[in-house]
Amino acid sequence: MIYYKTDAEIEKMRESAHLVSKTLGLVGSMLKPGITGKEVDLAAEEFIRDHKAIPGFKGYGKFPATLCVSPNEQVVHGIPSEEPFKEGDIVSVDCGVILNNFYGDCAFTFVIGEISEEVMQLLKVTHESLYMCIEVAQVGKRIGDIGHAVQSHADKYKYGVVRELVGHGIGKNLHEDPQVPNYGRRGRGTQLKDGLVIAVEPMINMGTRKIKHHEDGWTVTTADKKPSAHYEHTIAVRKSGTEILTTHDYVVESIKANPNLKNLDFTIKK
Ligand code: MG
Ligand code: MG
């Protein structure tokens, strides 16, 4: 069942979305070669708790951490580890918080040091696909239009669009109806109505779309070990036009101020 949000609930979700966006900004200020996912995770947890909120992922289905930290061939759901990051890593960081009983959910793939043009293009196209699907996610459109927007963009580059993991409704629960796949057919699926709040999150692989689930019960990697990228926003579908509740602005500021991170050579849209 889809739970459409009232104006007041969307205002609360805006606050959760804002905090989760700021937390990713903190992550961007810390990432560098030599630091571990675990160190960044502990700082993120402290930051969230200092803001009178609760890490949204920790304990969710027994996930052990505040952040999902998924470097290189890890697609999503990586558990922050003691393994230091190194020059040339791309690191997808996904964060959820609960504030005023509502979840916020946002993700960004960071670049530590220099990477090949090939990998940079994967990040650029994945990021573009996020904004392209948000553009079509308007009242009256359907869930299939969102997936189609992501898939058709990724297809142009012969990238693999992950199918087993999807975006989702979000509110008092982290995962609500409807599911929001990154593939689909135009005009198919649930119609988008005013008050629908969803997390849209393209997960795009450089090679095969096939994935592998690891023995830790969480980590998902590409089957061919080629890199994967992931960007996510929490958005509210409104009669007046769809609003992006999360923002990557804090991330962009932190990347600019952090000499260890590569400025992405594509414009981050708002
Ligand atoms: Mg997420
Ligand atoms: Mg999500």
Side-chain angles (χ1 to χ4, degrees), residues 194-214:
D194 186 54
L196 179 70
V197 181
I198 50 178
V200 285
E201 47 181 318
M203 289 158 251
I204 312 279
N205 301 343
M206 184 175 272
T208 178
R209 70 173 169 83
K210 295 210 171 82
I211 56 168
K212 199 179 141 193
H213 292 272
H214 283 252

Side-chain angles (χ1 to χ4, degrees), residues 8 28 68-69 125 209 244:
C68 295
V69 176
V125 170
R209 70 173 169 83
I244 307 177

